[in-house]
Amino acid sequence: MTLPKILLFDLDETIVFSEEMKTKAWSDILKVYGYCWEEENVGNLISVPKEKRPKTGLSPHDFIEKLIVDLKLASLSPDQDKREEMIKTLKDQWTSSLIAQAKLFAKEGRIREVPGAVGALNGARQKGFRIGVVTQSPIEYAREVLTFLGLIDR
């Protein structure tokens, strides 16, 4: 039995530098709570301190829940059912904002490939490998980024 030749790659920070888009998306939704995701305070918004930023690798639900706890936003919704509703709302807002940022960055030509990533993916395809991209980010965001890089539907 011959196994298919398949390579899987993570999207964010492996194929594309996404931190700037994600920073803008987080700032969009946190501003109603008086916070921004930038490194320094912006206007009258307080920068989320590095020690209060959840580590990457968490599921979106867990990331947002930890952020709510660390920023003490839970006091706005102390009831667990209300907290789950708050998590869902923030996740939906973040998804919409991230997709909007990806579209804006694509329109402005600001999506940045990790150096050599597109060439490596194209080279692997030429050698007969099937390529898969994995991400915890929204699929619409991934499509926007991969289309901009010329990797979608190949």
Side-chain angles (χ1 to χ4, degrees):
M1 174 173 87
T2 303
L3 295 175
K5 297 184 334 183
I6 299 173
L7 295 174
L8 299 176
F9 292 87
D10 185 40
L11 177 61
D12 297 306
E13 308 309 320
T14 302
I15 297 173
V16 66
F17 289 119
S18 61
E19 189 169 333
E20 187 178 1
M21 285 182 280
K22 289 185 175 185
T23 293
K24 299 224 179 274
W26 279 117
S27 288
D28 282 350
I29 67 167
L30 290 175
K31 66 185 171 189
V32 298
Y33 301 104
Y35 289 98
C36 66
W37 202 258
E38 281 81 8
E39 293 295 319
E40 297 182 13
N41 296 351
V42 175
N44 61 348
L45 302 174
I46 300 167
S47 177
V48 175
K50 285 193 181 216
E51 65 275 4
K52 294 201 182 240
R53 295 178 184 208
K55 303 290 182 231
T56 58
L58 295 173
S59 71
H61 178 279
D62 291 348
F63 187 96
I64 292 169
E65 182 173 42
K66 182 155 179 32
L67 190 61
I68 287 170
V69 170
D70 289 350
L71 295 180
K72 298 185 178 18
L73 302 178
S75 63
L76 301 173
S77 296
D79 177 83
Q80 185 61 34
D81 289 339
K82 297 278 187 195
R83 186 184 302 178
E84 285 300 321
E85 188 176 312
M86 184 180 195
I87 291 168
K88 183 186 178 325
T89 299
L90 285 174
K91 184 178 174 198
D92 290 347
Q93 290 172 342
W94 181 78
T95 295
S96 296
S97 183
L98 183 59
I99 293 165
Q101 290 301 324
K103 288 180 180 188
L104 178 63
F105 274 55
K107 181 179 178 183
E108 295 175 351
R110 294 174 47 210
I111 292 177
R112 297 179 319 142
E113 163 200 359
V114 171
V118 171
L121 293 168
N122 288 332
R125 280 203 36 75
Q126 289 172 352
K127 291 182 179 179
F129 285 91
R130 294 185 67 191
I131 305 298
V133 176
V134 295
T135 184
Q136 289 192 54
S137 296
I139 189 74
E140 298 89 352
Y141 156 82
R143 278 191 191 115
E144 193 68 41
V145 168
L146 293 170
T147 297
F148 178 83
L149 295 175
L151 294 172
I152 199 91
D153 294 326
R154 290 182 163 217

